[in-house]
Amino acid sequence: LAANRQRCHFFLEQLGHESGGLQWMQELADGWAYEGRADLGNVFPGDGPRFKGHGPIQITGRHNHTRVSEWAYARGIVPTVTYFVDHPDELAGDEYGFVGVTWYWTVERNMNAFADAGDIYGATRAVNGGLNGIQDRIDRYGIDADFCRGYGYLAYNARQAATLRELWQKLQGREHIGAHENFFALGGDSILSL
């Protein structure tokens, strides 16, 4: 149950930030910044705008649109193996908007591993490539905890937990400490910390 609670929090805070609380099902920018990006598979003229971020987690690039198409086709979700390459905007629509999220979360990045470790920084890097919007994601974690409580999950104060983690990081000279790591197991000493 604890793993499910943590996964629920992480799923909602990451999607909440990336989609502006599910307001945006496709990237707001025009996509020209992705033009010619071979690392995204954007090798044909116009691929940047065509394969800009789609869906609430922003599936980006010809390569990712191809992979999610293959995955969805293998499961009988879409009618052709190139469906989201041929119709990229479908990943931003009502029918298929969460197909890309499911693929990305469970196949492309195994986001549940970050959730299980309580690693909001790692999860944010995996989704965003950096720490863009980290404070909003942390704030949403607290809001999402309240949402998850409606499903029988107990939440805690995310701001207090984040403050405590920051303090532990400073005390131990570590870049990051996960939400569920044990202060004492990491070498912490409550007396010396005073």
Side-chain angles (χ1 to χ4, degrees):
L1 182 60
N4 290 336
R5 174 179 58 238
Q6 190 76 354
R7 289 175 180 185
C8 177
H9 297 326
F10 270 64
F11 184 79
L12 293 172
E13 52 97 338
Q14 290 295 329
L15 265 61
H17 177 77
E18 290 294 315
S19 68
L22 297 178
Q23 292 179 80
W24 313 302
M25 290 297 280
Q26 66 177 325
E27 190 165 355
L28 298 177
D30 61 16
W32 283 107
Y34 304 125
E35 186 69 8
R37 293 264 313 263
D39 62 317
L40 295 174
N42 292 344
V43 296
F44 298 107
D47 275 359
R50 180 174 173 82
F51 298 108
K52 70 180 191 173
H54 290 103
I57 207 161
Q58 307 298 317
I59 302 299
T60 305
R62 177 182 282 273
H63 175 73
N64 286 328
H65 281 73
T66 299
R67 294 208 44 222
V68 72
S69 291
E70 293 167 349
W71 178 83
Y73 178 74
R75 281 150 188 78
I77 298 169
V78 294
T80 67
V81 72
T82 59
Y83 190 77
F84 297 122
V85 175
D86 301 333
H87 311 282
D89 290 339
E90 289 292 311
L91 277 174
D94 292 339
E95 186 173 359
Y96 297 113
F98 282 86
V99 170
V101 172
T102 303
W103 166 78
Y104 190 86
W105 199 267
T106 60
V107 176
E108 182 63 13
R109 294 281 190 223
N110 187 15
M111 296 299 295
N112 286 332
F114 294 106
D116 294 347
D119 187 359
I120 195 168
Y121 291 89
T124 300
R125 285 185 185 101
V127 168
N128 182 262
L131 294 177
N132 181 46
I134 188 65
Q135 189 57 55
D136 180 60
R137 294 168 203 266
I138 290 168
D139 292 346
R140 286 179 184 278
Y141 186 90
I143 293 167
D144 297 338
D146 290 337
F147 174 83
C148 290
R149 184 184 301 131
Y151 290 93
Y153 302 132
L154 179 64
Y156 67 93
N157 186 313
R159 283 191 192 277
Q160 290 174 351
T163 301
L164 185 57
R165 278 196 309 274
E166 288 172 16
L167 177 63
W168 288 0
Q169 286 168 206
K170 288 178 187 173
L171 288 172
Q172 294 190 351
R174 294 173 56 120
E175 179 183 334
H176 174 68
I177 294 177
H180 297 286
E181 292 187 73
N182 184 305
F183 175 72
F184 300 104
L186 295 172
D189 186 311
S190 57
I191 302 299
L192 292 177
S193 297
L194 297 174

